[in-house]
Amino acid sequence: MMISNRSEDLFSILPMLFSDESDLGLDHVQLQHLVNGYKQLQKAKLLTRQTTNQALSILDFVMRGLVRRGEDGQEARKMTPSEIDLGQRLLELAFQLGVQTNSLIDCLLKTTPVVSSTRTLTSRLSASQTSLGVLFLTTYKQPIMDQLVKHGQDTVYELSDRVREDRGTIGMIIYGLLEHAVGNREIRKRYGMAIYSAVLTQWETLSNLGQEDDFMLNLMKKVLQIDFKFATDPTHLAFCPVFNQYLSMLRDPKKPLAWKTQVLDVLYFFANVPEKEEKELKSALDLLVANHFPLKSTDLDAGSPRYNDYIMALNKVK
């Protein structure tokens, strides 16, 4: 089915793009070509009127196209691959037209409950609940992260200012941002240091997100992957909060040795700290040994989980 000539104005058909109705006469392949045409016009600077409003309209329609009204509120729509591809292209156009970082974050922090149904291996329907913002992020993670990473510093500062709104989602975005930067060499080279600097500047705020310790440990690993020089420089503003948090992870009496072996993965980044900090680090490691290591390795059954954790940790502190 083809789009009629009168419907070639993209903005006039936005409300219909993700409708569940089957007789709208919309061909997603042709729609993708239409969106690409708009992108070329914008690139050539031929779209000059109200581009910001148009960008926000696209953003809103793509996000709201993920849900439909059900009996008990908003339900996640089952999106076809062609619909998701169209949504990605529309988002790229919106970002090209000009979407402010705070407007995109507003969408990602939408707390509207959304019910999602999936079929289990036994063919039973299983319902779970998420938020509209998280559904938006997980469905269109690639274009959203591509956009946020370009404005990484603003993104981190904006999220840090809004930590009380939705700590879980903010933690997810921050970690996703670092993961996106670390995972792509070109992105890392171009935007990595700006994100890295912003995360370190906001470290104390981010450490109060109320996330699991795994979150801060993984955040630490990602930051150190980008640049670890600060980890040996006590004069760096971020050194004390990061180093002290690392020490607290090693000392935590409630954490099992299996978890602390993951903490020991980044020990070598702090191997060349000055003498004062070296003593603190050695003290924390001594406490770890006292709390978790047996007096003799023969006290543990060879091959048991505790024995394996012990051997793994021992190899990392040697």
Side-chain angles (χ1 to χ4, degrees):
M1 290 179 290
M2 306 294 286
I3 304 172
S4 63
N5 290 335
R6 64 185 179 184
S7 298
E8 289 177 353
D9 177 3
L10 176 63
F11 299 97
S12 69
I13 60 174
L14 274 177
M16 299 182 290
L17 292 185
F18 300 105
S19 172
D20 282 331
E21 296 181 36
S22 58
D23 59 349
L24 292 175
L26 300 179
D27 184 311
H28 285 105
V29 175
Q30 188 174 355
L31 283 168
Q32 289 171 17
H33 289 307
L34 179 61
V35 174
N36 288 339
Y38 271 81
K39 288 168 69 175
Q40 290 299 318
L41 289 172
Q42 173 61 15
K43 191 174 182 179
K45 299 182 179 180
L46 296 176
L47 294 178
T48 57
R49 296 182 181 179
Q50 299 180 328
T51 54
T52 300
N53 290 338
Q54 291 172 338
L56 292 176
S57 294
I58 294 172
L59 190 67
D60 186 65
F61 277 115
V62 172
M63 180 181 66
R64 298 195 181 282
L66 292 170
V67 296
R68 63 184 176 190
R69 183 164 295 281
E71 294 180 2
D72 300 315
Q74 297 286 356
E75 294 180 352
R77 291 182 62 248
K78 295 187 184 302
M79 303 284 285
T80 65
S82 61
E83 284 180 314
I84 293 175
D85 190 48
L86 175 60
Q88 289 177 337
R89 292 171 191 252
L90 282 166
L91 286 178
E92 289 167 0
L93 173 60
F95 298 147
Q96 197 174 324
L97 290 171
V99 172
Q100 296 296 316
T101 300
N102 64 323
S103 297
L104 179 54
I105 290 175
D106 284 342
C107 291
L108 298 176
L109 297 183
K110 291 283 186 185
T111 57
T112 307
V114 177
V115 175
S116 178
S117 297
T118 55
R119 193 168 291 279
T120 66
L121 293 175
T122 57
S123 297
R124 292 183 178 179
L125 283 177
S126 175
S128 59
Q129 184 170 294
T130 186
S131 69
L132 180 56
V134 170
L135 180 63
F136 183 45
L137 174 61
T138 53
T139 304
Y140 297 114
K141 185 175 181 179
Q142 185 70 39
I144 288 173
M145 283 301 171
D146 282 344
Q147 177 67 10
L148 289 179
V149 83
K150 293 175 184 175
H151 308 278
Q153 200 165 55
D154 291 340
T155 298
V156 173
Y157 290 147
E158 176 78 13
L159 291 170
S160 298
D161 287 341
R162 301 173 67 168
V163 289
R164 294 183 180 180
E165 292 184 34
D166 187 342
R167 296 172 187 268
T169 303
I170 286 174
M172 182 189 302
I173 299 170
I174 292 283
Y175 183 75
L177 199 64
L178 279 169
E179 192 173 43
H180 202 65
V182 170
N184 184 297
R185 185 176 180 181
E186 184 60 33
I187 291 176
R188 179 176 174 175
K189 183 178 179 181
R190 191 169 182 180
Y191 305 110
M193 288 305 295
I195 298 170
Y196 158 91
S197 298
V199 169
L200 287 181
T201 301
Q202 299 298 315
W203 190 268
E204 290 191 82
T205 300
L206 297 177
S207 65
N208 292 320
L209 275 173
Q211 298 280 340
E212 295 292 330
D213 290 328
D214 285 349
F215 169 76
M216 290 310 298
L217 176 58
N218 289 329
L219 204 64
M220 190 180 294
K221 288 179 178 179
K222 292 298 180 186
V223 167
L224 290 167
Q225 278 183 267
I226 294 176
D227 193 332
F228 61 87
K229 292 176 184 175
F230 81 93
T232 57
D233 180 10
T235 64
H236 194 288
L237 290 175
F239 176 83
C240 282
V242 176
F243 184 66
N244 288 336
Q245 186 158 37
Y246 185 69
L247 293 179
S248 71
M249 289 176 178
L250 292 173
R251 293 168 178 156
D252 191 342
K254 297 179 182 179
K255 291 294 185 182
L257 184 58
W259 185 79
K260 290 187 180 179
T261 57
Q262 298 177 53
V263 177
L264 291 171
D265 284 340
V266 296
L267 177 62
Y268 70 94
F269 286 114
F270 299 99
N272 295 315
V273 291
E275 185 178 357
K276 175 179 175 293
E277 287 75 23
E278 184 181 7
K279 289 180 179 178
E280 292 182 82
L281 184 58
K282 185 178 183 303
S283 174
L285 290 171
D286 287 343
L287 183 62
L288 181 149
V289 170
N291 286 339
H292 298 285
F293 282 23
L295 293 176
K296 297 180 296 182
S297 61
T298 53
D299 290 343
L300 300 175
D301 294 330
S304 67
R306 286 187 63 195
Y307 178 85
N308 293 337
D309 291 339
Y310 160 66
I311 293 298
M312 190 177 297
L314 182 64
N315 289 334
K316 292 178 180 180
V317 297
K318 280 182 177 179

